[in-house]
Amino acid sequence: MKLVIFGATGGTGKHLVRKALDAGHLVTAYVRNPDKLDVAHENLTVVKGEITDQDAVSAAIAGADAVLSGLGATRGGSPHVMLPAATSVVAGMKEHGVKRVIWATGAGVPSEHDQPTFMNKFIGFLLKLTAGKVLEDSLAGVDVIKNSGLDWVIARGPMLTDEPGSGQFRVGYVNAEMGRTLSRENFAEGMLQQLDSDAWLHKMPAFSDR
């Protein structure tokens, strides 16, 4: 399968690239700074560009079978990332007839099927208080994906860690059984699993470590 990965130099994105290559996929990594991607492989193509450059995004998507995004706001960076990213990616996918997209976002983005605990609600309150603009941007980006008419899965992660992936993680909706942390490597594994399964098609599963 030919995959295009956005946010490929981020914590989750690097794992997406490595795991996709290990699984035998052809990977195009779309990045702002190629020097940050410390992966070399005969099946890897690195494309330098801005996520707001519609023509470059579209060109990267041409010929792909699916798109994955590990994009997210970075500390000290602009809080306005996800909406323009979603807009560019959806436009490029529609231009080239690519249907499947796996889109990462935070667990603070709610689903109507969630059953949040008091602590979940408290964490959500803190997010609005301390990172309101980032949350609003994430919500707006998710809305673009949900209304795109594409075959989407919105993968939601809680607090991400750099712990080694165990391959063991929960997938479901936010509730009392879901954990509050998730290995970035496990998140990448969970996202890649959505390429071959329709179990969560047009849904917003949350992931957490067991």
Side-chain angles (χ1 to χ4, degrees):
M1 190 178 293
K2 184 177 179 181
L3 307 177
V4 180
I5 298 176
F6 293 93
T9 58
T12 302
K14 288 182 179 180
H15 288 297
L16 282 172
V17 171
R18 292 191 182 98
K19 286 181 175 292
L21 290 169
D22 287 345
H25 297 296
L26 301 175
V27 176
T28 295
Y30 188 92
V31 300
R32 292 183 64 187
N33 185 354
D35 292 336
K36 291 184 177 181
L37 186 61
D38 54 350
V39 181
H41 195 284
E42 61 182 359
N43 290 335
L44 174 64
T45 300
V46 180
V47 176
K48 180 181 180 180
E50 298 287 338
I51 196 62
T52 53
D53 186 338
Q54 180 61 73
D55 290 339
V57 168
S58 183
I61 291 172
D65 297 303
V67 170
L68 298 103
S69 171
L71 288 164
T74 58
R75 184 173 298 178
S78 171
H80 306 294
V81 175
M82 304 304 281
L83 176 56
T87 303
S88 294
V89 169
V90 167
M93 292 180 67
K94 287 185 174 181
E95 180 178 351
H96 296 290
V98 181
K99 295 292 291 182
R100 175 79 61 157
V101 56
I102 316 300
W103 188 264
T105 193
V109 174
S111 164
E112 61 182 357
H113 301 293
D114 289 340
Q115 296 178 316
T117 63
F118 172 80
M119 183 57 68
N120 295 141
K121 293 178 181 178
F122 180 67
I123 293 172
F125 170 76
L126 289 180
L127 279 173
K128 290 179 181 178
L129 193 65
T130 61
K133 289 184 179 180
V134 172
L135 182 57
E136 288 177 6
D137 183 52
S138 296
L139 289 165
V142 163
D143 281 344
V144 170
I145 299 296
K146 289 173 67 176
N147 293 306
S148 64
L150 300 173
D151 293 339
W152 55 265
V153 177
I154 295 170
R156 299 181 295 154
M159 181 183 294
L160 299 177
T161 74
D162 290 320
E163 293 296 316
S166 63
Q168 301 294 316
F169 47 86
R170 297 182 186 277
V171 186
Y173 291 108
V174 174
N175 56 39
E177 295 183 357
M178 297 295 288
R180 298 194 184 98
T181 62
L182 176 64
S183 157
R184 289 181 172 88
E185 187 174 359
N186 278 346
F187 197 19
E189 181 66 29
M191 290 177 66
L192 285 167
Q193 288 179 4
Q194 307 312 308
L195 292 171
D196 301 313
S197 171
D198 288 341
W200 293 98
L201 185 64
H202 297 149
K203 297 178 182 177
M204 297 175 60
F207 294 74
S208 78
D209 289 328
R210 290 186 181 275

